[in-house]
Amino acid sequence: MSISELIISSVNIILTLIDTKWFQPLLIAFLAAIFTQRLNNSLTRKREKDNKRVETLKSFYYKIVPEIYDYFTIETDFRKGHDLKSHVKARDLKKRILNLISENTLYVNYEIHEKYRKVMKNKYFDDLSGFQVEVAEIELFHTIVEEYIRVLKDIENIDTKLDYQYACLLIIWKNTIAYCGDYGLAYPAISKNFYFNSNELNKKTLEKLRKLEMERIYSNEHKVLFRQILKKIVSEKSINKKEKDDFINEFFIQTHEVNNSHAIAVLSNIDINFGNLTVDLRTEYRKVLLTELYNDKYYKFDESKYDFNYDNKIFSSLHSELINAINYLKEKGLVRLEIDEQRTRLIITADGEDLYEKRFFSDEYI
């Protein structure tokens, strides 16, 4: 018997059985059992998925996401150095965030892990651009927030308005650093994010910012799109047209040449605020600061021009270029701060002395 004949014969047998009274209840019961089993399997998979989501939220996202929001708020605070309590350090928050990722890799997807590894690799290589380390960190934090929004999507009655706001702010912050060419230069713009209309920092704006990520950085299309987004989200109620234009221009500060007399003035008066520096001049500025700290230790009564023993109130009001230079040297382990109730003392470390003596006059940057 051929295969086709066998199939036809089988179909005829089934049709004959269907006509019998005893087979119909059996068929119905069989189909009901299959349906029930498939329903139970589906419910079980859904229950397991829901349990996994709840566990991931409790063990990872509910811990790390608030830390990311706090980190952004503290690091970009317009009043930083004034209202912020002395023991609160953005660097400590960032360290906690990275530790949370390291300790909870079970709940981390591929995208987050990839961004995390990029940040970790920066520990082993020098960042000659001056800002790619911070950009990689912001990309990591943004990826976590976006994934958090995706996880919350299937939960009913969950308000994700705040999460969309921070997702937008993190991408804006990253692009500001790229256009300003420096982490510190981006601060004046992003620290005034209170000019943004929070209602405009929504899902629609986030989609536009995602599209922005697809354009080549510094291309005309990228710049035009970024400027359009900024114009759209700035609140018209809190700022007039001229102020709005000036504010948006701060997101596109370009490094510029400075004449020799200006450079000499800056590098010979580190306590004076000359405004935002170029990248090259900022590098030299750090070197001068380290030189003066070295002189302060070894030639106190001879060559040192500065006393790095500050009153706490004076230290908190130092201009941003000096504070940023101190923080940079601190993160490199080249200086440390001794702080008591009234005074803040800036001191060069052994590593700082070693760098000054062995590498300072080479062509290598700090």
Side-chain angles (χ1 to χ4, degrees), residues 288-312:
V288 170
L289 178 57
L290 197 65
T291 299
E292 294 300 335
L293 283 167
Y294 187 90
N295 290 339
D296 182 64
K297 180 173 182 177
Y298 288 103
Y299 311 106
K300 184 70 177 177
F301 303 105
D302 242 354
E303 302 176 22
S304 293
K305 296 183 293 183
Y306 303 97
D307 181 8
F308 295 101
N309 188 359
Y310 300 96
D311 177 89
N312 285 341

Side-chain angles (χ1 to χ4, degrees), residues 126-153:
D126 286 331
D127 174 24
L128 300 180
S129 71
F131 63 87
Q132 284 302 323
V133 172
E134 287 82 6
V135 167
E137 291 168 350
I138 295 169
E139 285 181 336
L140 169 62
F141 301 159
H142 171 259
T143 302
I144 292 172
V145 174
E146 284 243 40
E147 182 62 18
Y148 176 57
I149 292 172
R150 191 193 68 78
V151 172
L152 293 178
K153 185 176 63 175

Side-chain angles (χ1 to χ4, degrees), residues 69 72 77 125 164 184 194 221-222 232 237 251 270 299 325:
Y69 296 169
F72 174 86
D77 189 354
F125 301 96
Y164 276 110
F194 49 78
E221 293 81 2
H222 188 286
K232 175 68 175 175
K237 296 180 180 179
F251 289 83
I270 61 175
Y299 311 106

Side-chain angles (χ1 to χ4, degrees), residues 258-289:
V258 294
N259 59 46
N260 289 338
S261 62
H262 177 66
I264 292 170
V266 171
L267 300 179
S268 61
N269 297 276
I270 61 175
D271 284 346
I272 299 177
N273 185 8
F274 287 89
N276 294 324
L277 306 180
T278 64
V279 174
D280 290 343
L281 195 53
R282 183 171 291 113
T283 302
E284 294 301 321
Y285 186 81
R286 295 168 185 155
K287 290 183 179 180
V288 170
L289 178 57

